[in-house]
Amino acid sequence: MPLGKRGLKRSPSSSSSTTSTTVTTIAFVALCVLGVWMLTGKTFSPPKTTTTATSDSGFSFSNEPETLKATEKNEHTVFEDNPGVLPIDAIQTGDPNQTHYTITNDKGSGGSDKQDEGNASSGGDDDSKMSDEQKVKKIIEEQKKQNEVDTQMSEDKTLIENQQFFVFDNNAKSSTEEMIKQQQLRENAGNQTLNANDPENHISDEDKRRSIEKHQEQHVQQKEETPFHSFSDQIVPYLQPPPQQEVQVSDSPKSENVTQETEQENTEETDGKRAKEHKLTNSNSGVSETWNPDGRNTGSSPKESLESRKSWSTQASQSQNEKERRKDESEGDEGNGNIDGYTWRLCNETTGPDFIPCLDNTKAIQQLRTTAHYEHRERHCPEEGPVCLVPLPEGYKVPIPWPKSRDKIWYRNVPHPMLAEVKGHQNWVRVTGEIITFPGGGTQFIHGALHYIDFIQQAVPKIAWGKYTRVSLDVGCGVASFGGYLFERDVLTMSFAPKDEHDAQIQFALERGIPAISAVMGTKRLQFPRNVFDLVHCARCRVPWHIDGGKLLLELNRVLRPGGYFVWSATPVYQKLGEDVEIWNAMSNLTVSMCWELVTIKMDKLNSAGFAIYRKPTTNECYEKRNQMTPPMCQNEDDPNAAWYVPLQACVHRVPVDKDERGSQWPEAWPHRLQRPPYWLNSSQMGIYGRPAPQDFTRDYKHWRYVVSTSYMSGLGINWSNVRNVMDMRAVYGGFAAALKDLQVWVMNVVNVNSPDTLPIIYERGLFGIYHDWCESFSTYPRSYDLLHADHLFSQLKNRCKLVPVMAEVDRIVRPGGKLIVRDEPSAVTEVENFLKSLHWEILFAFSKDQEGVLSAQKGNWQPDTYQPSS
């Protein structure tokens, strides 16, 4: 072919080279621009997700993430003091006092924008070696991956906003723990420090995308586990979440039942340990729990089943002679329970700092026809509870803590020297300057209670303190040294005595940290169930057991467990004076006719005193063989469990003998009886929360063990080392008290008269309690308790009586520095909180969510300046 022809013809290879050069140039420029945009676009601050959630209780909570708060407010250095939540491959850049994070590019860990630009240029050089098709494909893949990451981050943001979590304040101490978590995440992601200049540390786009997505999932999970703050007036203390907690909560607040799948739990688990991992799933039992974002049980107590009420009687229904309720009871709290505009005043009573409304009702006492049977020492509650505050004694001090308080208390807290003058020679009590001391003696055990206690067991070894005998009743207890020293033998004693001329003996007992109530053997039954006390004790208790057909001793027979013991330590047992002989003969005839066995009579030479020990029968055989039916058997319609304002009767109740009937068998030895459902709790009976009763019992016990160990011990701002006297104002099975077993506390379990009668169950498990109606004042002195616990009490009370006198009563019986824990409906919690604020209590913790609220508060020393006008 001629050369000229070839030169005039256009070469295909030349055209292709020109096109390739143009496309390459355009693609290179576009790639550089896109690379710079993508890299600079990865510098970001976490999106602002401020959300305000208003709970049912009226409190507002901020859902603004902690990292955002620091970004906006520049309050402190995030990297050093509070790392917040860092992405896996993020580092801090810029001013160390600013909260700003940069996600590194594919190769590096650049700490500034200039370094990012350098990395972008480096990336462009690598891209220039690729073909046009590879470059376009890479651009499309990178854009697709970036869109996926952006979409995932947007979904995470929406999820977090919808969850409306309660997050910690910047001062929360999660900084160090979060830093450790992030370090572990970085190590798990690559176990390397990313370095742009080290090709061996290069992480591909796909690996980075997966790493970011994995972190985002972990980030959401961490948000769900992040400890929270709830706000009332102040920040609540930090709470460490329980490890590996997996919880499924019903979406429906009306879920009736929950079943529990759990690993075998150690029933001897000590207080303060985390409950083992367990899982809650929904069913239909009536037991539901609400869990905070930090994994703690916020106290959603099991809900009482309405259907279960058909299976349980109440004291209100059992006690047919119950005192009439208030005329305006049905009107509830409407119009009168609101604290708005109410001004607190001090009570203007002659009893001053020792005012007990139901025992110091002078107007009612003056109208009594007779006081021959101690009617004036019984309860006479005013129609409307007092709405005034009891003043503090002058010079009141913080009580001496247990166990030192057993031996000494501050004189100014109970300024009554008369008892020391009258009983000092019997080692009851002595006054020494600012201190009142208790040598541990009593009228019948001058040389100490412990010797006396051990001597009783030596006389009858089967008494077996702390094993066979766990719950005792001390009648006419004085300053309760007998019950105080029985703690050393693992025995719980209910001590009682009247408010009489012995000048605040029960107040001495309570100030010492010993359980006691003000009560009298008069004309009404004691506020206890039948067949519940393992042993009853009377040491010169000044009770005329033999009069009126033996009514008073027959009342002890009602509350004493079949097979239980009565220890009578009194002069008629060992003295031969005319009156003593007469009383002894009358007692002997009465106890024989009651079929009590006289086990032994012993003389204690050390104390120069003696006692007789009787035992209640375990069968009805003796009753049927009596020659004279005196005292007679009680009528079938006479319910021995009825104890609320029921008059005494001189009759004997039959002993239960059916193997499945309560009282037919002795409880298991302590402490096994604490944990196991009573043998007589029938599976065919529906429990309070909707399950079969034994399962209900077990579920309640596990619930309170978990709540106490993971929430109450560290999360409510309560120093439990200062807590001794505790009251559960609405006990059901006694689960709260059982959960406190390993602490140096005792718990007065109160079963409300209008609630299912579960008090026998509480006694069966080796605890104790009393029936009461919180529309009336409690039979105790002011400043008696270190802590009150009210689980779904106030929401029920406000439908029956006014809350103002109830809150005045709470303030009356709690010591300065004492605590109140409330778990209830959010509206009730809010109302109680407002009352407490008006009383100048300090709110330690307040949280409300869905249908549950939790509150803890501490009483101060505040008192009004004015007194209530005298009536």
Side-chain angles (χ1 to χ4, degrees), residues 395 428 726 754:
W428 277 38
V726 180
N754 65 317

Side-chain angles (χ1 to χ4, degrees), residues 173-191:
K173 61 179 184 179
S174 60
S175 305
T176 304
E177 296 168 357
E178 194 63 46
M179 187 181 297
I180 295 173
K181 289 182 181 179
Q182 295 301 327
Q183 180 63 31
Q184 292 174 344
L185 290 174
R186 294 189 186 96
E187 292 174 358
N188 294 337
N191 200 24

